[in-house]
Amino acid sequence: QRLQSALQTGEAALQAGRLQDASAAFELALKLQAGHADALRGLQRVANHDQVRARLDTAFRLQQAGDLPGARAAVREALALDSLDREAAQALSRLDAGIAAQAFSLHLAQALQALDAGQLDTAAAALARARGLRAQDPALAGPTERLAQARREQQIRSLRQQAQAAVVDENWAAAVDGYLKALQLDASLVFADQGLQTARPRAELDARLQALIDQPQRLHSAAVLAEAEAVLAQARRIDVAGPRLREQIAALEQARDAAAQPVMVELVSDGQTQVTLYRVGSLGRFMQHQTRL
């Protein structure tokens, strides 16, 4: 009990700056238990006390001058001499908080500057650094919303350019896709709504034309041939036909004409087989037979 009391008395005296009292208390502890580690460390702390105070004074002056990293380095030196010094520990905690606040403000300012300059990736990186220091700080809300809005606007501009380029290329399906994506980002976009009204029927017409061109054998059906005529009539009503539409009209007209052109076919059989020709009728038995299809 006397040993613990001496150690506590020495610690209290040291923290209060009463070095003689602290030395006496720690020396008493050593008399009570020779070589006691805490008592030996206490005497060393007493010996280092003036150096610790000098470094803390330096830290204070540096902090007042705005040099927080320098002040922190001085406090770290003080703690290296006396890791149990409460004043040094508290000073380090305050400086760490101050440096973090300073860094947060710097990153936030960099983010705002980058947003003003339209440098969105730089702004995002600066906000991420600030968020890493103070994730819940309300000051992050405004710049974060600005960044999100700027990115939406950037994406909308990109989609508009892509859709306009697709219209020029007569890639109507891509144009429809671009306008729809833009409307998903902002349903009030006039250019996307108007563009969709033009692009969607053109995309449907393009698909119908291309399907008939890609499968010309379907034109042998009277119903499909009638459909082709209707599609051609719709295509010819387009006021300004681009190269792709003109090529599609020409290709479908050629396929239609080829499907409607009669062809003389010579059939050869064995004179014994009853032959029926699909969509024509029974031709009976023959060795050779010519028919127009």
Side-chain angles (χ1 to χ4, degrees):
Q1 290 176 352
R2 289 181 64 194
L3 174 62
Q4 292 302 318
S5 176
L7 291 172
Q8 292 171 2
T9 299
E11 178 64 27
L14 180 59
Q15 294 294 344
R18 302 194 311 274
L19 303 187
Q20 290 183 350
D21 293 343
S23 293
F26 290 131
E27 287 171 355
L28 174 59
L30 286 173
K31 289 178 181 179
L32 294 169
Q33 183 175 326
H36 193 281
D38 288 344
L40 290 172
R41 184 165 55 248
L43 288 174
Q44 184 60 53
R45 292 171 63 202
V46 170
N48 292 340
H49 181 270
D50 290 343
Q51 296 182 60
V52 171
R53 300 276 79 73
R55 283 164 174 76
L56 289 178
D57 290 343
T58 299
F60 178 76
R61 289 194 299 271
L62 290 171
Q63 182 179 1
Q64 292 298 104
D67 183 4
L68 299 188
R72 187 180 188 278
V75 171
R76 294 287 295 177
E77 291 176 3
L79 286 170
L81 292 168
D82 184 354
S83 62
L84 300 179
D85 190 272
R86 294 175 186 173
E87 184 180 350
Q90 292 170 356
L92 181 63
S93 178
R94 289 194 302 271
L95 285 168
D96 283 343
I99 290 172
Q102 194 176 65
F104 176 84
S105 298
L106 175 62
H107 296 323
L108 197 61
Q110 290 173 340
L112 292 171
Q113 184 178 7
L115 282 170
D116 291 340
Q119 299 168 347
L120 303 189
D121 290 341
T122 301
L127 280 175
R129 292 193 295 271
R131 193 172 292 109
L133 294 171
R134 294 184 177 181
Q136 304 303 321
D137 197 299
L140 291 169
T144 299
E145 177 56 31
R146 278 189 62 189
L147 176 62
Q149 180 61 31
R151 279 184 162 163
R152 280 195 297 271
E153 292 172 356
Q154 185 182 62
Q155 191 173 0
I156 287 171
R157 287 194 297 271
S158 177
L159 288 170
R160 183 174 189 172
Q161 292 170 357
Q162 293 173 18
Q164 290 173 339
V167 168
V168 172
D169 293 338
E170 296 180 82
N171 187 351
W172 298 104
V176 168
D177 183 64
Y179 289 133
L180 285 174
K181 287 180 178 177
L183 287 171
Q184 287 174 353
L185 293 172
D186 185 349
S188 66
L189 293 173
V190 175
F191 82 87
D193 184 61
Q194 293 178 345
L196 191 61
Q197 292 179 25
T198 300
R200 183 169 273 162
R202 289 297 302 270
E204 294 172 356
L205 175 62
D206 180 272
R208 294 179 66 191
L209 283 166
Q210 200 59 44
L212 292 167
I213 294 168
D214 292 341
Q215 296 179 301
Q217 68 277 9
R218 295 179 59 234
L219 294 170
H220 297 159
S221 163
V224 177
L225 194 60
E227 178 191 351
E229 291 292 355
V231 172
L232 282 170
Q234 181 183 351
R236 294 190 191 101
R237 286 195 295 270
I238 301 296
D239 294 333
V240 181
R244 174 176 172 82
L245 180 58
R246 292 196 298 269
E247 291 173 3
Q248 286 177 316
I249 291 173
L252 184 54
E253 286 177 341
Q254 183 178 359
R256 176 207 59 189
D257 294 343
Q261 179 65 39
V263 177
M264 186 62 69
V265 179
E266 183 174 351
L267 305 177
V268 178
S269 187
D270 56 9
Q272 301 179 27
T273 304
Q274 286 284 349
V275 178
T276 298
L277 192 58
Y278 180 59
R279 291 186 178 176
V280 173
S282 176
L283 301 181
R285 298 184 179 90
F286 55 84
M287 296 296 291
Q288 288 184 322
H289 182 83
Q290 287 188 337
T291 186
R292 187 181 299 272
L293 299 177

